[in-house]
Amino acid sequence: MHADSQTDLFAGDGGVVMLADGACVLRGFATQASAALLDAIDTVTTIAPWRHMVVPGGRRMSVAMSNAGALGWNSDARGYRYATLDPLSEAPWPPMPAAFTQLARDAAARAGFAGFEPDACLINRYAPGARLSLHQDRDERDFSQPIVSVSLGLPAVFLFGGPKRADPTQAVPLQHGDVVVWGGPSRLRFHGVRPLADGEHPATGRCRINLTLRRAG
Ligand code: SIN
Ligand code: FE2
């Protein structure tokens, strides 16, 4: 699926792979911006540190998370919600870095969703072994707006399913700089991430970082 990562690296924008109607991978779309994105992630996570949230039912997520933007996604024993304040500090989430907004806007437009203006960015950090089970992104208010998902650091296998949890999934290998966009008829498709394989990446060290940019409010 990602046969020519070398070409992608130098092309910056290595092409579009359609996953479904309204869903695609933009190979290497964030490669050029990756250093600026990682700098901004450092700034955000200095203010709103990485934490392992708890899901309703009590399990602690293996993925570490933070947020930037007017709204931040949070999970605790009572449920999932977007909120303006970081529950750890009770201060607003750090502002959305300009590099995030620009990349999200450009990637959405490239995927056919012009005018995307994210107000929430969930930042996920996967250490080796961390995974994200199949879920839908459905805590946002307006499902006409897409999700823009940016992969940085170690490669991962993204699972892209259908509208029902039991639907078959496509296993999509994602590399540093790849961006997945899903919206329109694919907006509520189930998706997840297989347990991260161990490794070392020059940009991030021993982890993968994913940004998911949303219009939440
Ligand atoms: C997510 O679904 O929030 C993240 C997906 C990913 O890490 O690629
Ligand atoms: Fe998601």
Side-chain angles (χ1 to χ4, degrees):
M1 197 117 197
H2 197 91
D4 201 357
S5 59
Q6 203 64 354
T7 304
D8 291 358
L9 187 64
F10 294 108
D13 180 356
V16 180
V17 179
M18 292 308 296
L19 298 177
D21 190 14
C24 63
V25 183
L26 306 174
R27 284 186 176 160
F29 197 87
T31 306
Q32 270 207 318
S34 63
L37 296 172
L38 287 164
D39 275 355
I41 292 164
D42 275 346
T43 303
V44 168
T45 56
T46 300
I47 302 165
W50 299 111
R51 79 286 309 267
H52 292 271
M53 296 178 187
V54 171
V55 292
R59 193 178 57 83
R60 173 186 182 268
M61 299 181 82
S62 60
V63 179
M65 296 179 172
S66 183
N67 286 282
L71 291 168
W73 185 85
N74 193 62
S75 177
D76 61 24
R78 289 171 300 145
Y80 312 125
R81 74 195 68 80
Y82 281 100
T84 55
L85 304 182
D86 176 349
L88 289 186
S89 61
E90 294 179 343
W93 293 104
M96 182 80 78
F100 289 17
T101 307
Q102 193 59 52
L103 195 275
R105 224 182 248 156
D106 293 349
R110 176 68 195 267
F113 301 98
F116 179 55
E117 292 296 329
D119 59 3
C121 182
L122 175 65
I123 311 174
N124 293 325
R125 187 183 65 189
Y126 298 75
R131 63 188 288 269
L132 199 59
S133 51
L134 281 182
H135 66 279
Q136 293 169 296
D137 289 2
R138 56 178 310 149
D139 302 319
E140 301 74 29
R141 223 173 50 188
D142 179 2
F143 295 145
S144 75
Q145 298 299 308
I147 302 285
V148 173
S149 174
V150 182
S151 289
L152 297 168
L154 286 177
V157 178
F158 181 66
L159 298 173
F160 196 65
K164 296 195 295 284
R165 186 181 294 278
D167 289 336
T169 57
Q170 303 178 61
V172 184
L174 295 179
Q175 308 276 344
H176 177 73
D178 287 348
V179 177
V180 187
V181 181
W182 62 96
S186 285
R187 178 60 180 73
L188 290 176
R189 281 181 180 251
F190 278 85
H191 58 278
V193 178
R194 281 204 185 134
L196 195 81
D198 201 356
E200 187 79 30
H201 192 282
T204 59
R206 207 172 161 213
C207 71
R208 168 179 186 258
I209 297 177
N210 169 264
L211 304 175
T212 44
L213 293 126
R214 299 100 184 265
R215 181 83 203 177

